[in-house]
Amino acid sequence: MKLRYSPTSPFVRKVVVLAMELGIDKKIELQRTNTTDPDLATQNPLGKVPSLLLDDGSSLYDSPVICAYLDSANKFHPAGAARWTAQRRQALADGIMDAGVLGRGEMLRPAGEKSEKFITAQKTKLNNAMNALEKEADSFGDGIDIGLIAVAAALGYMDFRYASENWRASRPKLARWYERFAQRPSMQTTVPKDA
Ligand SMILES: N[C@@H](CCC(=O)N[C@@H](CS)C(=O)NCC(=O)O)C(=O)O
């Protein structure tokens, strides 16, 4: 299988961290992709990465679907009540990534074309979502599941693109948890950098 990817996408990072934690990353061929590549739209009509091309020629998107497919044995998708906690956290973290990516796209638009109101609205979402995570960070523990992998990918994106927001300052529990989680080899080897 092939993963269409961009090295700076936090959604891709979530998928790759999961694959490394599952020990299946070597089975996935990484294919660097510009989201404007016309053939990406033939695999994912939404033209987004990550997109997973399967050996039978079909494709899977978006990142929660790809993660569920890769973790078909549910090692990191827990059962019972924990399942919904993990899925909700993944949704919250994916929302941070969405707001972060949209906000950054807007910031990069030429002066005169960008909307400060839109950027502020996205930052409000980021901050509200991280405040919600701070409230439950005590319960994160030292385990790992798809929700926590997603939270780590989102916080990694905050460090990468929103360092000036200094998210740790008012979120000490989340910061302490992330400091530990970020030591995992899967996190260390996927730190994003501009190409
Ligand atoms: N909900 C999607 C979001 C993926 C996404 O927004 N990817 C960005 C890169 S970080 C992208 O491909 N953007 C291109 C576009 O929106 O046209 C997922 O979870 O996979």
Side-chain angles (χ1 to χ4, degrees):
M1 52 195 160
K2 285 185 191 153
L3 185 71
R4 308 291 303 263
Y5 85 102
S6 142
T8 57
S9 166
F11 300 97
V12 168
R13 189 180 188 195
K14 177 180 64 169
V15 169
V16 174
V17 167
L18 174 77
M20 292 182 79
E21 295 288 348
L22 287 167
I24 59 168
D25 50 302
K26 299 284 183 295
K27 292 185 185 163
I28 304 172
E29 185 186 329
L30 294 176
Q31 193 173 351
R32 192 165 173 166
T33 303
N34 190 320
T35 53
T36 55
D37 288 351
D39 74 318
L40 177 63
T42 67
Q43 291 164 15
N44 177 354
L46 301 171
K48 294 185 182 193
V49 293
S51 178
L52 187 70
L53 184 60
L54 302 181
D55 295 341
D56 67 2
S58 62
S59 48
L60 287 177
Y61 48 87
D62 50 18
S63 60
V65 177
I66 296 172
C67 288
Y69 175 80
L70 295 178
D71 186 20
S72 55
N74 288 326
K75 187 168 179 200
F76 297 121
H77 288 73
R83 175 178 180 191
W84 304 115
T85 301
Q87 293 287 9
R88 178 184 54 75
R89 284 180 183 152
Q90 178 174 211
L92 192 54
D94 284 3
I96 293 174
M97 299 182 210
D98 275 327
V101 168
L102 287 173
R104 175 167 164 84
E106 190 70 17
M107 283 179 221
L108 294 178
R109 282 157 68 92
E113 285 182 27
K114 66 178 125 191
S115 161
E116 292 302 332
K117 204 172 157 188
F118 182 85
I119 293 168
T120 303
Q122 300 312 314
K123 284 189 180 175
T124 300
K125 288 178 198 286
L126 295 177
N127 283 308
N128 289 347
M130 285 189 296
N131 289 343
L133 289 171
E134 171 70 7
K135 282 191 188 145
E136 59 177 311
D138 268 346
S139 67
F140 287 2
D142 287 318
I144 174 170
D145 63 27
I146 189 58
L148 297 177
I149 291 172
V151 169
L155 296 176
Y157 189 75
M158 289 302 299
D159 283 345
F160 182 46
R161 294 300 195 206
Y162 289 85
S164 60
E165 292 290 305
N166 197 12
W167 66 265
R168 289 172 178 78
S170 57
R171 301 178 187 94
K173 294 174 192 165
L174 193 57
R176 272 197 300 278
W177 170 80
Y178 184 64
E179 198 180 336
R180 292 197 305 278
F181 196 95
Q183 299 308 314
R184 302 183 78 92
S186 60
M187 289 293 293
Q188 294 280 318
T189 52
T190 56
V191 174
K193 49 186 174 296
D194 278 312

